[in-house]
Amino acid sequence: AAGGVNGKVRVYDRAEEFRLTKVLDDATDWIRSVAWNGPLLASGCNDEIVRIYDASKDFMLIRTLGDASDEIRSVAWSGHLLAAAGHDKQVRLYNAREDFKLLQTLGEASDKVNAVSWRGEVLAAAGADAKLRIYHEDQKRAADTQIADWAKFVELATDSQGTQSADTLLHAAVACHALSGAQES
């Protein structure tokens, strides 16, 4: 799948030499990011909305997430978790298992967030403030329910726009996270 400046998501079939199979035209502005998770396709758009489509239902639009107050620059999946980030300096985490309930908003950036990327349970967010923020899920027990709290693990300086760093530097942060866990035991 690919997005574009015309607000359309184009879906291609890899098995058929990348033949165009579907055009999704629900958005009203530039599609900045698309990400697959099994049959689910998420798209992030300049119109401040994340759209979720289900390929198993002929790409039916099954959910819109309109929590952002500015354009969405990046979407990324890790299992049932969806991260969405953008110009409002926020990274939002949604749970697909609970009808895309907003789990947490990570708002430490001082400028737009350009990219998010996952490695397992570790999330990286890179932005125009020249910072790469690495988050991990900290599981806590409260009464009889398990609550996930996303805590910032490390913050690294990046290039001036934070564009190449989310994926490039994430493997180093995952290694640091693994080492810190080994040192605690």
Side-chain angles (χ1 to χ4, degrees), residues 67-103:
D67 302 303
S69 62
D70 206 337
E71 64 188 57
I72 303 295
R73 296 293 298 229
S74 185
V75 293
W77 292 95
S78 179
H80 65 282
L81 298 176
L82 174 65
H87 275 206
D88 65 359
K89 308 174 191 172
Q90 309 288 316
V91 176
R92 289 173 179 79
L93 302 174
Y94 298 94
N95 185 345
R97 290 183 184 157
E98 296 180 29
D99 195 31
F100 294 93
K101 173 185 172 186
L102 178 62
L103 294 177

Side-chain angles (χ1 to χ4, degrees), residues 24-85:
L24 310 173
D25 59 1
D26 302 294
T28 60
D29 206 339
W30 189 351
I31 304 292
R32 293 283 189 163
S33 180
V34 294
W36 286 99
N37 184 28
L40 299 181
L41 175 63
S43 71
C45 183
N46 277 12
D47 67 5
E48 305 172 6
I49 296 174
V50 174
R51 290 170 178 81
I52 311 296
Y53 301 93
D54 189 338
S56 69
K57 298 178 180 175
D58 194 32
F59 291 95
M60 180 171 72
L61 179 63
I62 61 168
R63 194 76 160 87
T64 58
L65 307 173
D67 302 303
S69 62
D70 206 337
E71 64 188 57
I72 303 295
R73 296 293 298 229
S74 185
V75 293
W77 292 95
S78 179
H80 65 282
L81 298 176
L82 174 65

Side-chain angles (χ1 to χ4, degrees), residues 113-133:
V113 181
N114 291 325
V116 288
S117 183
W118 291 94
R119 288 295 179 268
E121 63 185 36
V122 178
L123 173 67
D129 62 358
K131 301 281 190 220
L132 174 70
R133 291 172 178 82

Side-chain angles (χ1 to χ4, degrees), residues 73 87 111-115 125-132 158-166:
R73 296 293 298 229
H87 275 206
D111 204 344
K112 62 188 172 195
V113 181
N114 291 325
D129 62 358
K131 301 281 190 220
L132 174 70
T158 68
D159 69 325
S160 63
Q161 292 298 309
T163 54
Q164 98 286 354
S165 302

Side-chain angles (χ1 to χ4, degrees), residues 10-13 16 18-23 58-59:
R10 288 175 164 67
V11 181
Y12 300 90
D13 189 338
E16 296 183 27
F18 295 98
R19 181 181 63 83
L20 179 64
T21 58
K22 192 80 170 174
V23 176
D58 194 32
F59 291 95

